Every structure is written in C-alpha cells, then in structure tokens.
Amino acid sequence: MNDRLTELYKGVAVHATANYEHTAALELLALVMAADHNLDEAEIEAIKDITDDWRDGDFTFDKYLGPAVERAQQAIADGEVVELIDDIDRRISSRVLRRALFSAAREVAGIDDDVSPEEGTILAEVAVRFG
C-alpha cells in the first residue's frame, strides 16, 4: 500500500512524499561527502545543518545518515555513481528541493576548502540535473 501511495504522488511535491525526497537528497549529499573516501566531521556537520529544516519526528538525521552513507559508498565502490545520481534525480520532484541541491552539494564539497577531483566530477553530474 505504501509503495502504491508513493507511486500515486510521484511528481507531486506534497508532505506525503517529503521523507522519500529528503532521503534521496541526503543520499546525494552523502555521495558528495564520500567521494574522496574521507568522511570529514565538518562535512557531516554541514549536511546536518543543511537538512535541519527537513527533520521532524519521522525524519531524524541519525536514523537516515548511516544508510545514506552506506549507499553512497557502495555506489562509489561499484563504479555506479552516475546510476545513483540518476536514481536520486528520479525520486525528487519538488522544484524547491531540486533548486537547492546543487548549492547544498557544492557547500558540502567545499567545506574543507578543497574540492577533490572525485567531488568535482559528482558536482558536474549534479549540476546537469539540479543546477
């Protein structure tokens, strides 16, 4: 039933799909963070600050960050970064969230004042879809 509701509301930015979209956005930010194979505390804090206004009783940072990082790291290890970004792109329909994602991804990548080549490649893919 839950999958059916998600499918019905796909493409419609409503509260019913907010956690679904926020999970996808968190995966994107985790992908940027994991790109250089270093999970920096400053990057984690930046993601926490960026996602602060999304979080409520159902969407807690600690509950969703671990799985998002695991998914990002697996995509990197498997050479499936573009496929993960494509999947994230399909899951986010909110125009407001889509517009905010490139800036958020760039903020995470640059928080340590050094954008690695891997982060730059991901940012380029994000810019094409969300920039």
Side-chain angles (χ1 to χ4, degrees), residues 36-79:
D36 62 1
H37 305 285
N38 182 24
L39 304 180
D40 187 85
E41 188 63 37
E43 291 172 323
I44 293 170
E45 284 302 314
I47 293 171
K48 191 172 187 175
D49 290 345
I50 290 166
T51 63
D52 187 46
D53 60 339
W54 304 346
R55 289 180 274 138
D56 58 24
D58 293 334
F59 194 91
T60 59
F61 185 75
D62 295 331
K63 177 181 173 183
Y64 287 91
L65 180 65
V69 170
E70 286 176 24
R71 184 149 192 233
Q73 289 175 322
Q74 191 64 53
I76 292 166
D78 294 345

Side-chain angles (χ1 to χ4, degrees), residues 62-126:
D62 295 331
K63 177 181 173 183
Y64 287 91
L65 180 65
V69 170
E70 286 176 24
R71 184 149 192 233
Q73 289 175 322
Q74 191 64 53
I76 292 166
D78 294 345
E80 296 181 353
V81 169
V82 172
E83 291 82 357
L84 177 56
I85 295 170
D86 286 343
D87 178 59
I88 292 165
D89 183 24
R90 284 189 294 275
R91 291 186 284 151
I92 300 175
S93 60
S94 166
R95 286 187 294 272
V96 173
L97 182 56
R98 291 182 70 82
R99 280 193 298 261
L101 274 177
F102 179 68
S103 294
R106 195 173 48 203
E107 180 179 336
V108 171
I111 198 75
D112 58 2
D113 296 323
D114 181 39
V115 177
S116 72
E118 297 87 0
E119 290 170 330
T121 299
I122 291 171
L123 286 175
E125 291 291 337
V126 172

